[in-house]
């Protein structure tokens, strides 16, 4: 059974698209502060004092930690409630929106401060990819490469035009991911992409959003399987996720 399992695992290349969480990391100024590492209940040094010493494994010890996290931090999922008081909170999001067939599009031709990705960018990127649009569509803008300049990254970020949001909706996309702090550009007060995705008209479905993706451009094929399930936090508008691309080897 073990060799068969190893073969199955070897058939998939796993690419981590997640911005790692750490104390002191930058976050969007509209959201709470970065993670805070608080005292845990156990440390290896402390538990080693009273736990047994194993003849096979050495001194038994354990560690645990406590983190204070913002819901919209690092690579995270926006639930519809984020921009719609009547929308589902994160534990109510259909998990088929967060795990499933995916594609990525290179829209970095639009790169620039507060630049807008338009339907034309999407059309050209889809043609260049030579693949079909998938229910989960990730956009590589290139803006993630400015993360080492946090002020610029959050203040001047790129986003989607309202027409681009409509283009994605009309083609049945369920989740839109982007390597930028928001699907709307920095400084936007009307946030048309968020509004279109989270406040659907009667008969339309909501669209989920994944923000702050990294390394999207390293996915070797345009089509892959995406995993990005949120924590089932009740009554919350978003959750950090571990975003993964699973690609056939």
């Amino acid at each position: 059974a073990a060799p068969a399992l190893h073969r199955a695992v070897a058939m998939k290349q796993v690419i981590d698209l997640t911005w790692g969480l750490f104390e002191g990391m930058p976050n969007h100024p509209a959201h709470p502060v970065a993670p805070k590492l608080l005292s845990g209940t156990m440390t290896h040094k402390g538990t080693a004092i009273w736990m047994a010493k194993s003849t096979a494994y050495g001194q038994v010890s354990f560690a645990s930690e406590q983190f204070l996290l913002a819901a919209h931090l690092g690579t995270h999922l926006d639930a519809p409630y984020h921009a719609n008081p009547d929308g589902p909170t994160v534990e109510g999001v259909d998990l088929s929106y967060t795990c499933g067939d995916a594609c990525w599009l290179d829209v970095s031709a639009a790169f620039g401060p507060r630049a807008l990705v338009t339907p034309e960018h999407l059309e050209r990127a889809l043609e260049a990819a030579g693949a079909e649009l998938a229910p989960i569509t990730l956009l590589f803008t290139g803006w993630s490469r400015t993360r080492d300049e946090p002020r610029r990254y959050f203040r001047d970020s790129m986003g989607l035009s309202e027409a681009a949001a409509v283009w994605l909706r009309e083609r049945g996309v369920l989740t839109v991911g982007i390597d930028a702090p928001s699907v709307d550009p920095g400084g936007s007060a009307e946030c048309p992409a968020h509004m279109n995705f989270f406040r659907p008209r009667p008969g339309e479905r909501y669209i989920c959003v994944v923000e702050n993706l990294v390394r999207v451009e390293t996915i070797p094929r345009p089509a892959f399987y995406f995993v990005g399930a949120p924590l089932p936090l009740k009554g919350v508008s978003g959750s950090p996720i571990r975003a993964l691309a699973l690609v056939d080897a």
Side-chain angles (χ1 to χ4, degrees):
L5 176 60
H6 293 161
R7 285 196 299 272
V9 172
M11 291 173 63
K12 295 289 184 184
Q13 180 183 359
V14 181
I15 299 169
D16 194 351
L17 310 176
T18 313
W19 186 359
L21 303 179
F22 57 93
E23 190 169 19
M25 73 180 293
N27 197 21
H28 196 288
H31 293 295
V33 296
K36 297 294 183 183
L37 178 60
L38 307 177
S39 297
T41 58
M42 294 186 290
T43 66
H44 283 292
K45 185 176 180 180
T47 55
I49 295 173
W50 57 271
M51 299 202 76
K53 191 167 186 177
S54 168
T55 56
Y57 302 107
Q59 178 62 55
V60 177
S61 64
F62 290 91
S64 70
E65 299 77 34
Q66 183 177 192
F67 261 97
L68 178 65
L69 291 175
H72 300 265
L73 177 71
T75 307
H76 65 274
L77 177 85
D78 285 356
Y81 181 70
H82 179 47
N84 181 351
D86 298 317
T89 49
V90 73
E91 85 282 6
V93 169
D94 186 335
L95 291 180
S96 66
Y97 281 57
T98 68
C99 302
D101 292 334
C103 70
W104 74 276
L105 302 179
D106 184 347
V107 293
S108 59
F111 184 88
R114 302 193 178 187
L116 291 175
V117 175
T118 66
E120 291 72 27
H121 291 122
L122 294 170
E123 291 277 7
R124 289 197 293 269
L126 184 61
E127 182 178 358
E132 295 183 358
L133 208 60
I136 300 173
T137 296
L138 309 186
L139 304 177
F140 171 66
T141 66
W143 197 253
S144 55
R145 294 173 176 172
T146 69
R147 286 180 298 134
D148 59 347
E149 302 175 70
R151 182 175 175 83
R152 177 189 180 200
Y153 177 73
F154 289 108
R155 181 190 61 193
D156 295 330
S157 61
M158 299 171 60
L160 300 175
S161 69
E162 183 173 10
V166 171
W167 188 93
L168 290 161
R169 173 177 290 285
E170 289 177 343
R171 285 155 181 79
V173 173
L174 299 180
T175 296
V176 176
I178 192 167
D179 68 328
S182 174
V183 288
D184 286 294
S188 174
E190 296 185 357
C191 300
H194 275 94
M195 293 299 103
N196 180 279
F197 292 160
F198 292 148
R199 299 192 181 189
R201 292 173 295 186
E204 293 181 335
R205 294 184 290 190
Y206 64 78
I207 295 173
C208 280
V209 169
V210 174
E211 294 166 333
N212 288 328
L213 288 163
V214 297
R215 295 181 290 275
V216 173
E217 75 279 15
T218 68
I219 304 172
R221 299 179 186 177
F224 57 98
Y225 192 91
F226 179 78
V227 176
L231 298 171
L233 302 168
K234 291 188 177 181
V236 174
S237 62
S239 168
I241 64 172
R242 187 69 180 263
L244 304 174
L246 276 60
V247 184
D248 289 334

